[in-house]
């Protein structure tokens, strides 16, 4: 068992909050169009911070826990790239002006972090109380992997989002982005701007991603502290990563397929762990180092194959993948 002192938790949360405040200051209080160089510098900074934390953590807590952290971080970082696909779709759907995209992304990251803290606490509690939750989480990931692979060439339909449709129906919404505000007054009447609807779309999307990513990271570690820091550091660099790779996203044509393989692998790992603990100790488990090798291997193969496919067929476009399929397909059922 990993034992983290109150001081350890306090220092870690303090570092994350400071980084979040820095991201908030850059993204919200200084709205501007982000260039490639700026995005690259910030992306390298956040990845370096995450790696440095992992090295220090591994030296202090032991490299078994260090390997769990890096495996969790890589899983969450790879899943966060799929988040970026959805962010790009939302930005395009609502025609978010480029100078406000940082603000939207920063608030989206804050929402995602809050949701993940809630789900991590809930997941850790359930796993500590009921060991069969490893089976439940495993089956959820396997189902998600199958659905994502089936609909890997589909993009989620933001206009089909129930919360977005409900918000538009009950709230007065302006046509224009008014100084990046979410709520304003027009002719003495309080109204919301499209920015408010965009944040609802991103928040509800983050909720769906949390439902998948939390069981996934619990598949490589059952330590709540590691789950939390892996999620936090993966999400903190998301704003800069968005501007760095948004031009590259269309070329990652096999990303959804690769993520479905990773989710299925972790799902099987959780099921095997449940069988080993609750049914028969002779059932083999998948060790963390092997998980790390498989996850990195799948990501490398997926990236190389995607770039080769894009070079051979430039008209091929990547998709975020959907768990529900196209609206017309659902109507048939």
């Amino acid at each position: 068992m990993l034992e983290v002192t109150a001081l350890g938790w306090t220092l870690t949360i303090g570092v994350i909050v400071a980084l979040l405040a820095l991201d908030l200051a850059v993204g919200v209080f200084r709205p501007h169009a982000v260039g490639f160089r700026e995005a690259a510098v910030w992306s390298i900074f956040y990845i370096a911070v995450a790696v440095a934390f992992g090295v220090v953590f591994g030296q202090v807590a032991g490299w078994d826990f260090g390997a769990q952290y890096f495996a969790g971080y890589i899983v969450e970082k790879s899943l966060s790239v799929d988040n970026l696909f959805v962010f790009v779709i939302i930005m395009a759907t609502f025609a978010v002006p480029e100078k406000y995209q940082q603000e939207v992304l920063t608030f989206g990251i804050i929402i995602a972090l809050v949701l993940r803290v809630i789900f991590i606490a809930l997941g850790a509690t359930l796993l500590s109380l009921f060991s069969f939750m490893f089976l439940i989480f495993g089956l959820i990931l396997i189902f998600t992997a199958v659905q994502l692979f089936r609909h890997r060439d589909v993009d989620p339909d933001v206009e089909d989002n129930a919360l977005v449709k409900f918000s538009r129906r009950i709230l007065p919404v302006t046509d224009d982005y008014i100084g990046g505000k979410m709520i304003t007054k027009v002719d003495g009447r309080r109204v919301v701007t499209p920015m408010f609807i965009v944040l609802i779309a991103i928040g509800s999307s983050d909720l769906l991603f949390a439902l998948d990513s939390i069981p996934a990271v619990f598949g490589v570690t059952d330590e709540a502290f590691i789950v939390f820091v892996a999620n936090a550091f993966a999400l903190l660099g998301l704003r800069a990563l968005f501007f760095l790779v948004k031009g590259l996203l269309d070329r990652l044509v096999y990303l959804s397929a690769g993520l479905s393989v990773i989710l299925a692998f972790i799902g099987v790992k959780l099921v095997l762990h449940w069988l080993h603990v609750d049914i028969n100790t002779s059932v083999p488990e998948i060790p963390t180092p092997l998980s790390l090798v498989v996850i990195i291997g799948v990501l490398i193969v997926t990236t190389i194959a995607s770039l080769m496919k894009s070079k051979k067929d430039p008209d091929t476009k990547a998709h975020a993948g959907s768990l529900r399929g196209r609206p017309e397909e659902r109507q048939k059922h």
Side-chain angles (χ1 to χ4, degrees), residues 50 72-73 75-78 80 229-238 241:
Y73 174 73
V75 167
E76 293 304 310
K77 201 68 175 176
S78 60
S80 72
V229 292
N231 268 275
F233 284 117
L235 288 172
L236 279 173
L238 207 56
L241 190 62

Side-chain angles (χ1 to χ4, degrees), residues 16 19-20 23-24 46 80 83-84 87 101-116 199 202-203 206 231-243:
I16 291 168
L19 290 170
L20 192 60
D23 216 38
L24 191 65
Y46 281 115
S80 72
N83 266 60
L84 294 183
F87 287 169
Q101 290 182 6
Q102 282 203 88
E103 182 178 347
V104 170
L105 285 167
T106 304
F107 278 116
I109 291 166
I110 293 173
I111 294 169
L113 196 53
V114 170
L115 288 173
R116 277 160 172 74
L199 288 178
I202 284 183
D206 283 337
N231 268 275
F233 284 117
L235 288 172
L236 279 173
L238 207 56
R239 179 190 60 83
L241 190 62
F242 171 85
F243 294 102

Side-chain angles (χ1 to χ4, degrees), residues 3 6-9 55 121 137-138 194 217 241 249 290 314 316 327:
E3 294 185 6
L7 178 62
W9 272 103
V55 171
F137 280 3
V217 74
L241 190 62
L249 286 176
L290 178 59
T316 303

